[in-house]
Amino acid sequence: MLVGEGKPGIGGEPLPGQKLKSTYSVFPEGMGSDAPAWVAFDKQVLSFDAYFEEEVPDKNQELYRIRHCKIYFYLEDDTIQVIEPQVKNSGITQGTIVRRHRIPLPPPHEDQFYTIDHFNINIEVILYARKYTIIDCDQFTKNFLRKMGVRLNPPTGRPDDPYAKERQKILDSMKPLRPYERIDTLRQFLDHDGHVLRFFCVWDDPESMFHDPRELVLHYYLSDDTIDIKEIIPVNSGRDAVPLFLRRDKLPKYAPTGLYPPGTITSRTVLNVLGKLGHYILDNRKTGAVHQEFYRDSDLKIGAVINVWGRKIMLCDCDEFTKEYYRTKYGIEDFTPVPFKAPPPPKSEKMFPPYTGFGSEEDSLCSCMGLLPKPPQKDFKKFMEKDRSGVESNILRFLAKLVTDSPIDKDRKFIISYFLSDDTISVFEHIQQNTGILGGKFLERGRIKKPGQELFKSEPSEYFNAQNLFVGARVCFHGHNFFLVDADEYTFNYMEKHANEFSVADIGVILKKLKDITELRSREIRQVFAATDPEHTKVIEYEPFRDLIVSITDGVFSEHEIRTLGRYYSVREEYEMDLHFLLAVAQEQLKKNNFENFEQLSAVLIYNDREKCGVLPHETCRTICKSFKLPLAGDDLQALLTMFEDDRKQVEYKKLVDGLNWRKNQIPAFQTIKDPLKTEDDWRGQPPSFAVKGIKYLPLLDDLFGKEE
């Protein structure tokens, strides 16, 4: 064997008389980019129809066997795969005969592989000593070979397997032992499996003693045209509860001559062609067959009467799926139900016995609801929403005085607390020195009934609610008359925030009410307000404003409505918060939450300062602080950032971080006592720190009468 036989000459050119062996298929150059074969021919396969003969040495019935197969040639890498299609009851293992790989040529050229040039129609190829005869190929393969310049041979016929042909003759000559007719219902089952039409029916049983109608539910199964019926048995009707009124089956229409005897109706008809010899054949013409009609979906509609084995049942209504089915298939739009139920008798009002006086009214009422008494249920959802949460106490506090002629009791002050979580009220008396009256708890916390109600009655009593308490209201708690004269700041804010629940704090309702009273006296009222402001400052004090509203409305407005009006149009004085106190509060919050990432916070602020000028915009600092999850309220953080702003509204972030760093720059404790926070529990009915002083009356007049020209 010459080793250098296939070595080309200088420059890669073949030597004279030398034939170079091609490693892969050679494709002619075409137009466009010169892409490699594994890209240009990706997922392109040539398919050839072939067969091969296989000897059968161990059987007398056949000497050889013809096995048909498919030869696939993959253009991307010149690999070949041979697959034999599955043949039913062949008795041999079929499928992949040769797995996909490059196949070498038969000897003496086993150092080369099959390429596209070795394939054509009506030729023989040898793959691993087995001879395959190619008889045809698909259209794509023909077109591709023609483009490659291959002249295709004419296709040949496919030879038959002698043994398979003989077996087919035997099978064709055999007949089934019984008449066979295929009834295919698979398509209907696959299309309508799980689709059920439901009708509400009624059956007037004539044999019933009281001729009461029986309510039924009819189900029509579209998958096999079967029907079942279930009876709706009322409670305490005395009837036995049976699973089904009619089991699921095809429901025949009632024949005029009555029911057919068993065996008359069959799915197939056979004929005895040889008399006593008993040779039967299938009657495809169905001569003499008895045809019985069954109820179909087209026979069922609202108002129709069907015969269910002698019982007349009327279809009165159907569900939404059934309506949509008939609307789509049959175009029916009228689904007016047939009334079949008698109107229910008027429900008798449940009478409760009067309250006995033992326990609470709610607890006594629960003993009348059932045989097993249960404790009264509390409104847990309201309790979770209105319970104390952080700084939100959900407690309305009012300052009250006794309505009495006694000179001793006139000066007594009381704090009435209304708890929104459970609608309870507690009353505490403010301790005053040298009065001879012990202060403290005046009334235990609990729900308080409104006065003037009968004690022993069947109806539940009415209790005081949050809407009954407002500044200027008169309430009576267990015989003690109180006049509410003031409220704390939280109460005013809460009522104004929930103005839809409190009409006395709804500025829209108050303005409408005031407009209805003063609409005809607009000029006169403008002159009265102008006379109260001789210096034309457009602001008047609260007391003259209150006196004007009282005189204009003739006492119709309550004190709370006047205060709401004044608070809405008031001139609020801005105050300067102490920076040290604000930093002390912030450091206390950071210390409680173990926040110590001050160096990382400073590094992020410096990184965002591209110009390295030591300041950042307000929103940028706020966003960065929120990203670090500083345990500070939004208002407190906003105030701190405002404190460290310069003249250009830029935050000096270095001073801000140094002020918050409680590790290095902790503020002494005595500085935090400079202006202690006033909690709601310390409120004693004194005037709030932020009081209404001046009222801007011009916006009020503009809202009432419009802007004056």
Side-chain angles (χ1 to χ4, degrees):
M1 184 176 181
L2 297 178
V3 180
E5 182 181 359
K7 185 176 180 181
I10 298 175
E13 295 294 334
L15 298 174
Q18 184 184 24
K19 291 184 178 180
L20 296 180
K21 300 177 182 179
S22 59
T23 307
Y24 287 92
S25 298
V26 179
F27 300 99
E29 296 183 359
M31 302 297 293
S33 60
D34 188 11
W38 58 272
V39 175
F41 301 110
D42 184 28
K43 298 181 180 179
Q44 296 189 17
V45 184
L46 304 184
S47 175
F48 298 92
D49 298 329
Y51 72 91
F52 65 93
E53 293 184 6
E54 183 181 30
E55 293 184 359
V56 184
D58 298 333
K59 291 183 65 178
N60 297 327
Q61 293 85 355
E62 54 178 342
L63 300 178
Y64 66 94
R65 183 176 298 159
I66 301 296
R67 299 178 63 176
H68 303 279
C69 59
K70 289 272 191 181
I71 300 178
Y72 296 108
F73 184 88
Y74 294 86
L75 296 173
E76 55 181 320
D77 53 359
D78 291 350
T79 54
I80 300 174
Q81 184 181 16
V82 182
I83 296 177
E84 183 180 9
Q86 296 281 350
V87 178
K88 187 176 182 182
N89 296 329
S90 64
I92 57 177
T93 304
Q94 296 174 324
T96 302
I97 298 177
V98 180
R99 63 178 179 84
R100 179 182 171 182
H101 66 290
R102 297 192 68 191
I103 300 178
L105 294 174
H109 304 288
E110 62 270 13
D111 58 336
Q112 302 180 38
F113 296 91
Y114 276 100
T115 62
I116 193 174
D117 300 326
H118 296 94
F119 287 89
N120 202 336
I121 301 176
N122 200 3
I123 64 171
E124 294 179 353
V125 292
I126 300 176
L127 306 179
Y128 295 115
R130 178 175 285 175
K131 185 183 296 184
Y132 294 86
T133 303
I134 300 177
I135 59 177
D136 202 357
C137 62
D138 60 1
Q139 191 61 38
F140 171 77
T141 305
K142 293 179 181 179
N143 296 336
F144 187 84
L145 292 177
R146 288 193 183 100
K147 291 180 180 179
M148 291 291 297
V150 178
R151 179 175 295 179
L152 296 178
N153 300 327
T156 61
R158 174 181 296 181
D160 297 328
D161 185 10
Y163 180 70
K165 191 174 182 180
E166 189 68 22
R167 278 186 55 85
Q168 187 64 34
K169 289 181 181 180
I170 298 174
L171 293 175
D172 293 342
S173 63
M174 295 176 61
K175 292 184 179 180
L177 299 178
R178 58 180 176 80
Y180 179 76
E181 180 183 1
R182 181 175 177 84
I183 301 175
D184 188 11
T185 58
L186 181 61
R187 178 60 182 271
Q188 181 182 359
F189 173 79
L190 294 177
D191 290 344
H192 298 288
D193 182 31
H195 296 171
V196 183
L197 306 181
R198 182 169 63 171
F199 291 90
F200 303 99
C201 319
V202 65
W203 170 46
D204 192 1
D205 188 4
E207 298 180 0
S208 178
M209 182 181 297
F210 302 103
H211 297 282
D212 52 339
R214 310 276 288 272
E215 297 182 22
L216 308 172
V217 177
L218 183 145
H219 295 134
Y220 184 90
Y221 297 87
L222 295 173
S223 59
D224 54 359
D225 299 325
T226 55
I227 293 176
D228 70 1
I229 301 177
K230 185 177 181 180
E231 182 179 2
I232 301 176
I233 301 177
V235 181
N236 299 327
S237 62
R239 296 193 180 95
D240 294 333
V242 294
L244 287 175
F245 185 81
L246 176 69
R247 68 180 179 84
R248 179 177 175 181
D249 199 358
K250 286 192 175 183
L251 181 62
K253 295 183 179 179
Y254 198 76
T257 58
L259 298 177
Y260 295 100
T264 305
I265 302 173
T266 59
S267 57
R268 297 175 179 86
T269 305
V270 295
L271 297 176
N272 187 358
V273 295
L274 295 180
K276 296 182 180 180
L277 296 178
H279 186 74
Y280 300 94
I281 64 173
L282 182 64
D283 182 14
N284 294 327
R285 301 285 183 178
K286 297 188 182 296
T287 306
V290 179
H291 297 281
Q292 186 177 20
E293 294 184 1
F294 297 92
Y295 280 104
R296 304 294 300 272
D297 55 349
S298 58
D299 302 322
L300 305 179
K301 60 181 180 180
I302 296 178
V305 178
I306 62 175
N307 193 325
V308 181
W309 302 106
R311 295 171 175 83
K312 303 293 183 180
I313 295 180
M314 177 184 290
L315 307 182
C316 301
D317 200 359
C318 60
D319 60 359
E320 291 298 327
F321 173 78
T322 307
K323 293 178 182 178
E324 186 63 27
Y325 175 80
Y326 280 93
R327 189 180 293 113
T328 304
K329 185 174 182 179
Y330 297 104
I332 300 175
E333 296 292 342
D334 186 15
F335 298 100
T336 305
V338 178
F340 63 95
K341 291 184 180 180
K347 192 174 182 180
S348 59
E349 185 179 358
K350 195 171 184 180
M351 302 296 295
F352 296 102
Y355 174 53
T356 59
F358 295 97
S360 63
E361 291 187 11
E362 293 79 7
D363 187 53
S364 299
L365 185 62
C366 289
S367 63
C368 304
M369 296 295 185
L371 296 177
L372 299 177
K374 296 181 180 180
Q377 296 291 332
K378 296 182 179 180
D379 193 349
F380 186 73
K381 181 180 179 182
K382 181 179 180 180
F383 173 78
M384 294 300 295
E385 292 178 352
K386 300 296 183 180
D387 193 24
R388 177 188 288 272
S389 176
V391 297
E392 289 290 332
S393 64
N394 290 310
I395 302 175
L396 307 183
R397 290 182 173 88
F398 298 90
L399 176 65
K401 292 184 178 181
L402 283 173
V403 180
T404 178
D405 295 332
S406 173
I408 299 176
D409 295 336
K410 280 185 177 181
D411 297 333
R412 298 172 65 182
K413 293 182 180 181
F414 299 88
I415 298 176
I416 299 176
S417 301
Y418 184 89
F419 299 85
L420 295 169
S421 59
D422 54 359
D423 300 325
T424 55
I425 298 175
S426 66
V427 182
F428 282 80
E429 184 175 2
H430 182 50
I431 300 176
Q432 300 183 31
Q433 297 180 357
N434 300 328
T435 58
I437 300 175
L438 293 176
K441 184 186 295 186
F442 183 83
L443 181 63
E444 184 71 28
R445 177 180 175 180
R447 300 178 68 189
I448 302 178
K449 297 180 181 179
K450 292 183 179 181
Q453 300 183 78
E454 185 181 353
L455 179 61
F456 304 104
K457 63 182 185 303
S458 302
E459 295 80 12
S461 300
E462 295 183 8
Y463 293 86
F464 280 101
N465 52 28
Q467 286 72 24
N468 300 131
L469 304 180
F470 54 89
V471 179
R474 294 175 181 269
V475 292
C476 180
F477 295 161
H478 301 300
H480 298 276
N481 296 315
F482 292 95
F483 178 68
L484 308 185
V485 296
D486 199 1
D488 63 353
E489 186 67 19
Y490 176 81
T491 302
F492 282 114
N493 292 332
Y494 181 88
M495 297 177 74
E496 291 171 2
K497 185 178 180 180
H498 301 81
N500 56 335
E501 301 177 12
F502 303 93
S503 59
V504 294
D506 191 347
I507 189 63
V509 175
I510 297 173
L511 287 176
K512 185 177 182 303
K513 184 177 178 181
L514 183 60
K515 187 176 181 179
D516 295 339
I517 298 175
T518 62
E519 191 171 7
L520 302 177
R521 300 182 295 165
S522 61
R523 184 174 297 276
E524 176 186 352
I525 293 174
R526 286 182 182 274
Q527 293 177 358
V528 171
F529 274 96
T532 312
D533 182 22
E535 299 180 0
H536 303 288
T537 59
K538 302 179 182 180
V539 177
I540 59 177
E541 298 293 331
Y542 174 75
E543 290 301 329
F545 172 78
R546 177 188 176 279
D547 297 338
L548 285 176
I549 297 298
V550 171
S551 62
I552 291 172
T553 58
D554 295 330
V556 176
F557 273 28
S558 64
E559 185 66 27
H560 200 116
E561 291 174 317
I562 300 175
R563 291 204 178 189
T564 302
L565 202 63
R567 287 168 58 88
Y568 187 77
Y569 294 100
S570 64
V571 178
R572 298 180 180 268
E573 295 182 358
E574 297 183 358
Y575 62 97
E576 184 177 355
M577 185 178 294
D578 185 20
L579 177 60
H580 292 281
F581 171 70
L582 191 59
L583 287 175
V585 173
Q587 286 188 4
E588 187 69 20
Q589 292 293 328
L590 296 175
K591 188 176 182 180
K592 287 182 178 179
N593 290 274
N594 295 326
F595 183 85
E596 299 181 356
N597 298 334
F598 299 106
E599 294 182 0
Q600 188 175 359
L601 175 61
S602 179
V604 174
L605 290 171
I606 294 173
Y607 175 78
N608 284 270
D609 185 10
R610 303 298 183 182
E611 300 179 357
K612 306 302 179 184
C613 55
V615 293
L616 283 174
H618 185 100
E619 291 298 327
T620 304
C621 293
R622 183 181 178 88
T623 304
I624 295 174
C625 292
K626 283 190 173 183
S627 66
F628 277 83
K629 297 181 180 180
L630 287 179
L632 298 177
D635 296 339
D636 296 341
L637 181 60
Q638 183 77 14
L640 277 173
L641 294 176
T642 306
M643 289 289 186
F644 287 97
E645 285 182 352
D646 56 6
D647 298 337
R648 297 177 298 173
K649 302 297 182 182
Q650 299 286 324
V651 179
E652 299 177 1
Y653 56 85
K654 293 183 180 179
K655 295 182 179 179
L656 173 66
V657 176
D658 293 340
L660 294 176
N661 194 340
W662 55 273
R663 281 290 187 186
K664 297 180 179 180
N665 305 315
Q666 186 174 3
I667 297 180
F670 70 89
Q671 295 189 16
T672 62
I673 311 176
K674 183 185 300 183
D675 187 12
L677 290 174
K678 295 182 179 179
T679 61
E680 295 179 359
D681 297 332
D682 299 332
W683 186 72
R684 294 292 182 265
Q686 303 300 327
S689 58
F690 178 76
V692 177
K693 297 181 179 179
I695 307 297
K696 297 181 288 186
Y697 62 89
L698 287 182
L700 171 62
L701 298 177
D702 293 341
D703 293 341
L704 289 176
F705 313 116
K707 292 188 177 181
E708 190 176 12
E709 297 181 359

